[in-house]
Amino acid sequence: MFETIDALKAQLDALRPLPKNSVQSLHEAMMLEWTYHSNAIEGNTLTLKETKVVLEGITVGGKSIREHFEAINHREAIEWVESVIARDEPFSERLIKSIHQLLLKNIDNTNAGCYRQENVMIAGAQHIPPEHLHLQSLMTELVDGYENHYENQDYHPVERAARLHVDFVGIHPFVDGNGRTARLLMNFDLMSSGYPVIIRAENRLAYYEALDKAHTSLCYQDFIAMVVEAEEDAFKRYLSIVS
């Protein structure tokens, strides 16, 4: 499953150091598209072009203040995750809560960065998240198990990150913003290994179905395959630009 993306990554790595302007344009494009697609999956109605102008500081008429903040906050969260990777900080509950706090800043300051204090359901899904009373122990287990389970299982970096995403969303620790937080956490792991990826909004249904299947049957294969396909598309695009 991973042979193609590993070969594409090797092609890209062989071209390093990449031209400075190419790196900058790729980074700007990734940040814009990642912000647009991650928010669109959750129902944000800003188009790609509208997201671009919002990130440039321009207000879009007919769009809610919340949608503007979702775009601005998501870019800030990406930048913070990149700074964490640059400092080589480990996966932690602080990382998780900080990402969530940035995402919900000026949107829901009461719940930003705080685990939920109520039980929730995921609309349209068979999986029912655990009761809120168990959240702290489950999140501690997720973080403690990251090194002991995910890394020691000799998973490919893409499979490891995909499984982390699935398991985090299964716990659903926040009232809102779990999906965006999960995708940022997945890319925290992926970017640390040189495998950034964007789940595109047009794949929203398949994305939700693969997650629900993993939660209800413990079959991660469909979700991992989706991430691998998205990774392949990303590498091909990067190579088409820099080569």
Side-chain angles (χ1 to χ4, degrees):
M1 180 183 291
F2 307 109
E3 289 180 358
T4 299
I5 58 174
D6 286 346
L8 292 170
K9 182 178 183 296
Q11 290 180 42
L12 186 63
D13 289 343
L15 297 173
R16 300 183 188 278
L18 303 175
K20 182 178 180 180
N21 289 336
S22 295
V23 172
Q24 182 177 349
S25 63
L26 281 169
H27 182 263
E28 291 175 354
M30 183 197 75
M31 186 171 292
L32 170 62
E33 293 183 14
W34 183 0
T35 295
Y36 161 69
H37 285 287
S38 193
N39 283 336
I41 287 173
E42 305 301 331
N44 187 299
T45 65
L46 289 172
T47 65
L48 182 64
K49 290 182 179 179
E50 287 171 342
T51 302
K52 183 177 188 297
V53 299
V54 167
L55 295 181
E56 292 171 351
I58 300 171
T59 301
V60 178
K63 302 297 182 178
S64 69
I65 295 297
R66 179 188 177 107
E67 289 179 311
H68 284 73
F69 276 126
E70 284 179 347
I72 295 167
N73 291 355
H74 194 274
R75 179 181 62 181
E76 187 175 344
I78 294 174
E79 292 171 341
W80 190 80
V81 167
E82 290 176 335
S83 72
V84 170
I85 294 171
R87 295 191 299 270
D88 197 26
E89 292 187 16
F91 180 68
S92 66
E93 284 191 76
R94 175 181 176 273
L95 169 67
I96 296 169
K97 290 182 176 181
S98 295
I99 289 173
H100 188 260
Q101 193 278 328
L102 288 171
L103 289 173
L104 264 65
K105 184 176 65 174
N106 298 319
I107 297 173
D108 183 359
N109 291 324
T110 300
N111 290 306
C114 300
Y115 295 150
R116 56 183 168 86
Q117 298 297 311
E118 58 190 86
N119 295 335
V120 296
M121 295 184 66
I122 304 174
Q126 295 184 44
H127 171 67
I128 299 176
E131 294 184 6
H132 69 91
L133 295 174
H134 304 307
L135 285 179
Q136 185 56 66
S137 62
L138 289 170
M139 292 304 294
T140 300
E141 182 180 339
L142 179 76
V143 171
D144 290 346
Y146 177 76
E147 180 177 353
N148 297 327
H149 175 66
Y150 294 100
E151 294 185 348
N152 289 344
Q153 289 293 323
D154 197 28
Y155 290 135
H156 186 279
V158 173
E159 179 174 1
R160 182 182 66 217
R163 286 177 175 272
L164 173 62
H165 179 298
V166 170
D167 293 343
F168 172 83
V169 173
I171 297 172
H172 215 77
F174 303 111
V175 172
D176 186 25
N178 293 281
R180 281 165 290 173
T181 302
R183 291 185 288 277
L184 280 155
L185 289 174
M186 180 169 68
N187 261 319
F188 162 76
D189 196 6
L190 287 172
M191 290 190 297
S192 300
S193 304
Y195 291 88
V197 73
I198 296 172
I199 302 297
R200 304 181 71 83
E202 54 264 33
N203 296 325
R204 179 181 179 181
L205 178 58
Y207 168 75
Y208 283 139
E209 289 178 341
L211 279 173
D212 202 33
K213 182 178 180 179
H215 293 147
T216 55
S217 67
L218 298 181
C219 178
Y220 291 73
Q221 200 67 12
D222 287 359
F223 188 79
I224 295 169
M226 169 174 280
V227 177
V228 169
E229 184 177 352
E231 195 73 67
E232 183 176 341
D233 291 342
F235 276 133
K236 287 179 177 177
R237 182 179 179 193
Y238 298 158
L239 284 167
S240 70
I241 294 173
V242 300
S243 61

